[in-house]
Amino acid sequence: MKKIEIIAPSGAIEPSLVHTAAQRLQSWGFDVRIAPHALCQYGRFAAPPADRLADLNTALHSNADYLLCARGGYGLAQIIDQVEVPESGSPTIIGFSDITALHCLMGHAGRTSIHGAMCKALASDADADSRSAEALRRLILGEPLRYQLPAHPLNRQGKAAGCLRGGNLSILYSLQGSPYACPVSEGDILFIEDIGEHPYAIDRMMQNLRLSGMLSRIGGLIVGQFSDYEEDPRMPYSVYEGIRNMVEHYDYPVWFDFPSGHTDFNMPILLNAPCQMQVCSTDCLLTF
């Protein structure tokens, strides 16, 4: 039986969502535990930094198979430099948004993690949430992960194979220049998504990835969902067009509108794991 522990290393969450998510996981046959401070609230945070850190470090050294982060929000930057990743073997992290900091840390440690649905989606009966949750269930049970989806007009065709890195663009940007920056090596494939950012801010963050050399090192780019923003009429291009312009001088494949991010339809992907992407004129394929 798979063991899953629910932790809250970042923002506070309504306890009922955690309990409902736990019940759903149990109905799938998983053994579920809830970390001691996962249901607490300390302002906008789930608990004071020391308590969130204690829960996370204890869980990383436990016999759990997976650590499901209750939600994102903000908070991991306060403790990421004190997280103790075991030298060998540790539960697989599940989450997105602020949890990107943990994905990057796991990447430095050579551990695969899952960018996927958290407690709110698992507690919901909405169709898109349920489809995302079901995809996560299949992944946890070991089913192969494969996506074949229609092409987007801004895509650039091609093939790439490499380790998939990335997550939330704002978090990737905030970690740049630190020991916890996304560990992108030559030929890796980068995934990005974000929520509620002004188009000029997205452009600024992408310029950072360009100026730092990250965009020149990668072998492929997957652009997920950019949600809850309005296009800026003073910008001469849309958000997606701006990202496409940013990588115009590179020759790797680019895939837009991948169904992962801060949207109800948030399909899981494996980070820090080898994958293959193929972008064609009619469809795109991602396999792990």
Side-chain angles (χ1 to χ4, degrees), residues 56-76:
L56 178 53
N57 281 337
T58 299
L60 282 170
H61 289 80
S62 72
N63 66 347
D65 298 297
Y66 295 89
L67 301 185
L68 173 65
C69 296
R71 63 158 295 188
Y74 171 67
L76 270 168

Side-chain angles (χ1 to χ4, degrees), residues 7-13 44 69-74 96 98-99 118-119:
I7 59 173
S10 299
I13 184 171
R44 69 183 303 118
C69 296
R71 63 158 295 188
Y74 171 67
F96 68 104
D98 195 54
I99 310 307
M118 297 184 286
C119 284

Side-chain angles (χ1 to χ4, degrees), residues 236-255:
Y237 36 72
S238 69
V239 164
Y240 273 8
E241 288 169 341
I243 294 173
R244 183 64 164 80
N245 293 341
M246 200 80 61
V247 297
E248 188 63 35
H249 299 295
Y250 310 120
D251 61 1
Y252 45 71
V254 182
W255 179 346

Side-chain angles (χ1 to χ4, degrees), residues 111-141:
R111 314 290 167 79
T112 296
S113 55
I114 298 175
H115 182 284
M118 297 184 286
C119 284
K120 183 178 179 180
L122 290 171
S124 171
D125 291 326
D127 178 63
D129 283 323
S130 293
R131 291 170 65 190
S132 303
E134 174 61 18
L136 180 63
R137 184 190 71 84
R138 294 197 304 268
L139 178 58
I140 291 173
L141 291 175

Side-chain angles (χ1 to χ4, degrees), residues 87-106:
E87 291 186 7
S88 62
S90 61
T92 300
I93 300 291
I94 303 173
F96 68 104
S97 190
D98 195 54
I99 310 307
T100 296
L102 276 181
H103 292 313
C104 291
L105 184 65
M106 293 299 113

Side-chain angles (χ1 to χ4, degrees), residues 78-94:
Q78 300 172 333
I79 60 174
I80 194 68
D81 57 331
Q82 302 171 73
V83 177
E84 300 167 356
V85 181
E87 291 186 7
S88 62
S90 61
T92 300
I93 300 291
I94 303 173

Side-chain angles (χ1 to χ4, degrees), residues 148-227:
Q148 186 168 7
L149 300 166
H152 187 276
L154 289 174
N155 284 356
R156 181 163 58 208
Q157 297 179 42
K159 297 180 181 180
C163 195
L164 186 61
R165 310 286 192 184
N168 179 258
L169 178 60
S170 297
I171 304 302
L172 299 177
Y173 170 73
S174 72
L175 294 173
Q176 286 282 78
S178 79
Y180 312 98
C182 189
V184 173
S185 299
E186 196 73 28
D188 284 349
I189 297 171
L190 180 65
F191 165 78
I192 56 173
E193 61 82 30
D194 219 320
I195 181 173
E197 295 290 344
H198 293 293
Y200 73 83
I202 295 171
D203 187 85
R204 177 194 293 134
M205 291 185 281
M206 290 300 299
Q207 294 291 356
N208 177 276
L209 302 191
R210 180 184 68 84
L211 294 169
S212 69
M214 185 183 294
L215 294 183
S216 65
R217 290 197 300 274
I218 61 177
L221 176 64
I222 299 176
V223 182
Q225 299 300 301
F226 281 71
S227 56

